[in-house]
Amino acid sequence: MMTWLSDIIASVKLLFVKDREFYAFLHSVTGRWPRRIELYKLALVHRSKPVRDSDGKWVNNERLEFLGDAVLDLVVADFLYKTYPDRTEGFLTNTRAKIVQRESLNRVGATLHIDSRVRAGAHSTSHNSYICGNAMEAIVGALYLDLGYRAAEHFIVHGIIGQHFNLDELIATEQNHKSRLIEWTQKFRVHIDYALLDTIYDEENNIVFKTGVTLAGHFAADGIGYSKKESHQDASRKALDRLNTDTEFRDLVMSAADEIPS
């Protein structure tokens, strides 16, 4: 009853406030009326097109993205822990990864039309396919700061997972590349190591991470991405491909497996 009354009051107030269309958009996405509208505006500012804050500093959504990423991980982990009380840690980790990965969040953000609201340079929009997913994380961070953990939790569980994921189908899909590679190394007692090799910048001055992966002390592949997670996934994908196609390399790794402490 109180929620219904609060929505009526908020709707009436909305007729008299600035940015009422943006307020309505945020309500359609999160199911809540925002209090600190500036947080959500910042959540949609990509680093390729920063804005000045009230102190004159150039700012973007990276800090909110960092916060939202942490809140997402916690809420999804808690949700899966309670939903699947008899499943293993590996299952919970893999399922969480499928929900919070950039590809999934990018798809959800596009469905919610977040992509049409992001402020970004034209080159970044065409070259960084995860801008929308990053903005989704930033919106979660903004919601957490604005209305608290419970509001963010409700949005993630009901607005994201409940509306945009079929858990049965998700569980049945193939695991992410890094999880698959780690499982392979555990099965054959092969030591695996990821290392940041370099950080470079694209034409829009967006940072790009380059990560290398070694198996049993042998370099397997390197990968790049706009986040360290993405570069790990890319390197893992290439390493799996190499294991599947390069029998000489696979035999080399397998023969050295027992020499590397597990």
Side-chain angles (χ1 to χ4, degrees):
M1 180 67 178
M2 290 302 295
T3 301
W4 174 81
L5 182 59
S6 298
D7 281 348
I8 293 295
I9 294 172
S11 297
V12 173
K13 288 182 177 179
L14 189 62
L15 297 174
F16 304 99
V17 300
K18 182 183 177 182
D19 297 323
R20 56 181 175 270
E21 190 272 336
F22 188 56
Y23 272 89
F25 168 73
L26 290 172
H27 184 269
S28 72
V29 170
T30 67
R32 303 294 295 268
W33 294 105
R35 295 174 184 169
R36 299 167 59 189
I37 194 72
E38 70 279 359
L39 286 172
Y40 303 89
K41 289 183 177 180
L42 182 59
L44 298 173
V45 176
H46 186 255
R47 60 175 171 256
S48 63
K49 204 169 183 180
V51 297
R52 289 189 184 273
D53 65 9
S54 57
D55 296 324
K57 296 186 297 184
W58 289 104
V59 292
N60 57 54
N61 66 359
E62 286 185 315
R63 284 171 54 82
L64 286 173
E65 179 188 331
F66 164 80
L67 182 60
D69 177 59
V71 175
L72 267 165
D73 276 350
L74 175 58
V75 171
V76 174
D78 180 64
F79 169 78
L80 294 174
Y81 183 86
K82 294 173 180 175
T83 303
Y84 301 101
D86 300 322
R87 303 304 294 263
T88 65
E89 179 270 342
F91 166 85
L92 298 175
T93 298
N94 291 335
T95 306
R96 179 181 62 179
K98 294 174 188 176
I99 294 174
V100 303
Q101 65 184 350
R102 290 301 196 285
E103 291 88 345
S104 297
L105 294 177
N106 215 55
R107 174 180 57 80
V108 173
T111 301
L112 295 172
H113 305 294
I114 300 297
D115 51 339
S116 66
R117 301 278 178 162
V118 176
R119 174 190 173 100
H123 184 83
S124 293
T125 303
S126 62
H127 284 71
N128 185 352
S129 60
Y130 299 120
I131 285 179
C132 189
N134 295 343
M136 279 294 299
E137 290 182 336
I139 287 175
V140 170
L143 185 62
Y144 169 76
L145 290 178
D146 184 27
L147 298 175
Y149 177 80
R150 292 304 176 193
E153 179 186 40
H154 188 273
F155 171 52
I156 294 167
V157 172
H158 299 284
I160 296 180
I161 299 176
Q163 295 294 321
H164 300 280
F165 290 92
N166 182 317
L167 290 178
D168 291 334
E169 291 182 0
L170 186 73
I171 291 167
T173 59
E174 190 177 23
Q175 297 167 343
N176 70 71
H177 302 302
K178 185 174 181 179
S179 293
R180 287 175 55 212
L181 183 60
I182 290 175
E183 285 192 359
W184 185 88
T185 61
Q186 291 174 342
K187 179 179 179 180
F188 295 104
R189 298 179 62 81
V190 171
H191 181 74
I192 183 172
D193 184 59
Y194 291 87
L196 181 65
L197 301 179
D198 198 7
T199 53
I200 56 179
Y201 293 86
D202 67 12
E203 296 176 11
E204 284 291 320
N205 206 35
N206 298 309
I207 191 169
V208 178
F209 298 92
K210 183 177 182 181
T211 293
V213 57
T214 58
L215 301 174
H218 298 285
F219 180 79
D222 58 41
I224 60 173
Y226 284 96
S227 70
K228 291 180 181 178
K229 287 183 181 179
E230 291 173 21
S231 67
H232 281 218
Q233 287 290 337
D234 191 40
S236 300
R237 176 184 60 79
K238 292 176 180 176
L240 286 166
D241 288 343
R242 188 174 182 188
L243 287 170
N244 289 329
T245 59
D246 187 342
T247 56
E248 183 177 347
F249 174 72
R250 181 187 175 96
D251 291 342
L252 178 66
V253 170
M254 297 289 287
S255 65
D258 291 338
E259 302 172 13
I260 306 296
S262 60

